[in-house]
Amino acid sequence: MDKMKTLNRDEIKYIAMMTMLLNHIANIFLEPGTLVFTILLDIGYFTAPVMCWFLVEGYHYTRSKKRYAARLAVFALISEVPFCLAFSEAYNDVEGISFCGMNMIFTLLLCFGVLAVREHVQEEGLKLSLYLFLFLLSMISDWAVLAPMFTLLFAWSRGDERRTKKSFLIGAGVFALMNFYPAASPGAFLYSLIYAFLSCCGILLAGIAVVYLYNGKRAEKGRTFFKWFFYLFYPVHLLILGIIRLVC
């Protein structure tokens, strides 16, 4: 099995950036319900679990958790206008720009808070209250509730392959249930069942990438470039997509 582990962290992140781009193109430009829209949307669900996984890894290995949190806060702020520019029509049916929730980097900042609570708060009642607050706060942002849930699962399973597999399966199962809309007729029920299963395929693929293909290493060269590329790609690609949406 170790021979299969040929992808380093940065290569998996590159794949996640590309699947995120496909998801965003579908949300912004394609007609909901079409086959191409559904395929690109589901492929894009690869990205968020990967982000949460490497957030947990980064939280453990970072030399300064304060600087890590500060970077997330700064890029969450930078990304908000591009995020609203890109998704105003898809989320709010507004041709220009309007507030349509907080962006994914803000969600990751909340996930960082979840990890900080898990590490530093010992009193169980207070810990649960802070978890609840962060989960509720995520309701105004992208990948609400799911991203903090994945973060807790990955923190629980870190260093244990069996638990990691369970974490991805639990997350995929919850996501499938959220996309399952049972109907009275057998045909509609079957369609909803297939739709729910396909919706979680991106998450399952993320699990395969992390468990079976990730070699636990970083790229040997260009580490500074990769570090800032992954931060900058998010707001820059949203800004470009948002401008294209307005022009076209």
Side-chain angles (χ1 to χ4, degrees):
M1 294 297 293
D2 287 342
K3 293 181 180 179
M4 295 175 58
K5 296 187 175 185
T6 57
L7 296 179
N8 63 45
R9 182 188 69 178
D10 300 299
E11 289 167 340
I12 293 176
K13 283 186 175 182
Y14 262 134
I15 297 170
M17 297 301 101
M18 294 305 103
T19 57
M20 177 175 62
L21 177 61
L22 294 177
N23 179 283
H24 290 172
I25 288 172
N27 270 303
I28 296 167
F29 299 112
L30 301 183
E31 185 69 25
T34 61
L35 179 61
V36 176
F37 171 87
T38 303
I39 291 172
L40 295 186
L41 196 72
D42 293 343
I43 289 173
Y45 294 143
F46 176 96
T47 306
V50 167
M51 287 181 172
C52 294
W53 170 265
F54 284 113
L55 177 75
V56 173
E57 289 288 288
Y59 184 90
H60 178 77
Y61 287 115
T62 186
R63 295 177 182 176
S64 173
K65 292 182 173 63
K66 290 183 179 179
R67 287 202 295 267
Y68 196 166
R71 282 197 302 272
L72 289 172
V74 168
F75 279 94
L77 182 63
I78 292 171
S79 301
E80 186 57 22
V81 170
F83 178 79
C84 292
L85 182 66
F87 290 109
S88 289
E89 190 168 355
Y91 292 175
N92 295 337
D93 198 25
V94 173
E95 291 185 3
I97 183 171
S98 66
F99 178 73
C100 50
M102 301 301 292
N103 60 81
M104 185 65 191
I105 299 185
F106 176 79
T107 312
L108 291 176
L109 179 61
L110 297 180
C111 294
F112 187 96
V114 167
L115 294 174
V117 169
R118 185 176 184 272
E119 179 184 17
H120 296 292
V121 179
Q122 304 301 321
E123 203 277 308
E124 289 300 321
L126 177 59
K127 181 180 289 188
L128 289 174
S129 298
L130 291 172
Y131 281 160
L132 179 61
F133 171 74
L134 291 168
F135 271 69
L136 290 175
L137 190 57
S138 77
M139 294 292 290
I140 65 169
S141 63
D142 200 15
W143 266 73
V145 177
L146 287 165
M149 179 195 72
F150 272 111
T151 301
L152 274 180
L153 285 170
F154 295 150
W156 166 74
S157 64
R158 187 178 177 277
D160 188 315
E161 188 171 303
R162 288 187 62 189
R163 283 189 175 187
T164 300
K165 292 176 184 177
K166 288 181 181 178
S167 295
F168 277 102
L169 288 173
I170 291 168
V174 169
F175 192 71
L177 285 174
M178 292 174 64
N179 286 280
F180 178 61
Y181 307 102
S185 68
F189 179 87
L190 180 61
Y191 173 83
S192 184
L193 192 65
I194 294 171
Y195 181 85
F197 172 74
L198 292 176
S199 71
C200 72
C201 285
I203 297 172
L204 294 174
L205 289 173
I208 291 171
V210 166
V211 174
Y212 296 108
L213 302 179
Y214 177 43
N215 59 20
K217 299 177 181 179
R218 299 172 59 185
E220 294 183 2
K221 298 180 180 180
R223 292 184 176 183
T224 301
F225 167 79
F226 287 127
K227 174 182 177 180
W228 294 109
F229 172 81
F230 295 127
Y231 276 108
L232 289 167
F233 180 84
Y234 186 76
V236 170
H237 93 279
L238 288 176
L239 180 62
I240 293 171
L241 292 178
I243 291 172
I244 294 173
R245 178 182 71 84
L246 290 179
V247 172
C248 299

